[in-house]
Every structure is written in C-alpha cells, then in structure tokens.
C-alpha cells in the first residue's frame, strides 16, 4: 500500500533536502510534508508570500508503506502531552537531537502556535494547553529528518497554484 504526501513551497521540489532553517520548527530540521492537500496549499501560498518570490507549488510524493516500516518512526496520534513536550523542545532549542528518521503528528496551526507559545511562556499548565489544543482538528505533518527517510520519497508530480 502506498501513501501520497504533499509539500507546499514557492518552488517545485524535485530533490528534497533536510532544511536546517533558522526558525524553530515543530519537529526540528527536516523535509516537511502533509497528507492534507489543503494544508500543503496553505504552506505554498504562505511561503511564496513570505519569501516574495517564486510561485506557489505543491510537490506530490509517493511513499511505500513497506519502505516507511523499515525506518525509525515516531507518530503522535493527537496533540497530547507527549506531542506538546516534543514540540516544546524544538520550539525552544534548535540543537535538540533525536534518533528518528520520520516524525508524524499534528501540525500546530496559527491558533495552536499561540497556545503552545503561551504554554512555553508559563501562561498555561500542560493540562490547560492540551484542553485548548484537542478540539482544534489539527492537520498532520510528516517530518523526514534523515537522508534514509528522504530516499523513500518518490516524486509523482508538481502542481502550480
């Protein structure tokens, strides 16, 4: 069985790379995708606007389940305490390091990021933060964090918006 994942950006991405960006990402350095086309579209439009160049593009990838099973994968089913603790590390320390090839879990949208940031500033307890995050129907994100993970991504097509 195969899975289709989408990467939204201001350029087509035929050869994914692990981006070690200056900004603090939910799951740290990696190549980020989602199974939700609408989420990828938002990322493409936002990235194009932020960078002020290029054209919104969605790179579509095929991932074979059998290949994914060979990798070290961490999956969060919902925004629970473990997810909050994990993203808190990466949102406060870029040098955080783990041994996973792929990390899968909810993507913190704009509203969720405010909640996470308020939690990090000590305005909410962990329990309150989770109560605020759970009903938000967050989309998913897949962070491919190693070269071995990148190798299982098969480009299907690039769609321009």
């Amino acid at each position: 069985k195969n899975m289709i994942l989408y990467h939204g950006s201001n350029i087509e991405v035929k050869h994914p790379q692990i981006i070690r960006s200056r900004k603090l990402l939910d799951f740290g350095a990696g190549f980020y995708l989602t199974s939700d086309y609408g989420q990828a579209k938002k990322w493409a439009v936002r990235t194009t606007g932020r960078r002020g160049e290029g054209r919104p593009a969605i790179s579509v990838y095929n991932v074979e389940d059998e290949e994914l099973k060979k990798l070290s994968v961490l999956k969060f089913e919902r925004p629970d305490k473990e997810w909050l603790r994990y993203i808190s590390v990466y949102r406060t320390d870029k040098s955080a390091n783990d041994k996973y090839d792929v990390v899968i879990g909810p993507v913190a949208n704009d509203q969720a990021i405010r909640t996470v940031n308020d939690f990090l500033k000590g305005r909410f307890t962990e329990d309150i933060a989770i109560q605020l995050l759970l009903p938000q129907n967050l989309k998913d994100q897949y962070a491919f964090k190693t070269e071995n993970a990148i190798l299982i991504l098969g480009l299907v097509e690039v769609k321009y918006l």
Side-chain angles (χ1 to χ4, degrees), residues 83-99:
W83 174 83
L84 183 60
R85 290 174 189 152
Y86 189 87
I87 71 168
S88 293
V89 169
Y90 281 106
R91 290 214 161 254
T92 55
D93 178 14
K94 280 199 298 227
S95 66
N97 202 2
D98 62 46
K99 304 287 187 262

Side-chain angles (χ1 to χ4, degrees), residues 34-93:
T34 179
S35 67
D36 186 89
Y37 185 84
Q39 180 67 37
K41 193 173 173 181
K42 282 183 197 167
W43 286 345
V45 170
R46 182 176 293 163
T47 301
T48 304
R50 193 174 60 236
R51 294 184 179 160
E53 62 183 27
R55 181 173 160 204
I58 297 174
S59 302
V60 182
Y61 292 91
N62 180 49
V63 177
E64 292 183 28
D65 284 352
E66 288 305 312
E67 294 300 312
L68 188 61
K69 285 177 186 165
K70 295 176 187 173
L71 300 174
S72 173
V73 177
L74 174 62
K75 184 171 186 179
F76 298 99
E77 297 293 339
R78 61 192 168 287
D80 57 17
K81 286 182 182 180
E82 286 71 32
W83 174 83
L84 183 60
R85 290 174 189 152
Y86 189 87
I87 71 168
S88 293
V89 169
Y90 281 106
R91 290 214 161 254
T92 55
D93 178 14

Side-chain angles (χ1 to χ4, degrees), residues 121-137:
K121 291 173 186 165
R123 294 186 182 140
F124 298 141
T125 64
E126 205 173 57
D127 289 328
I128 301 244
I130 296 302
Q131 285 176 0
L132 292 168
L133 290 166
L134 277 174
Q136 288 193 32
N137 192 23

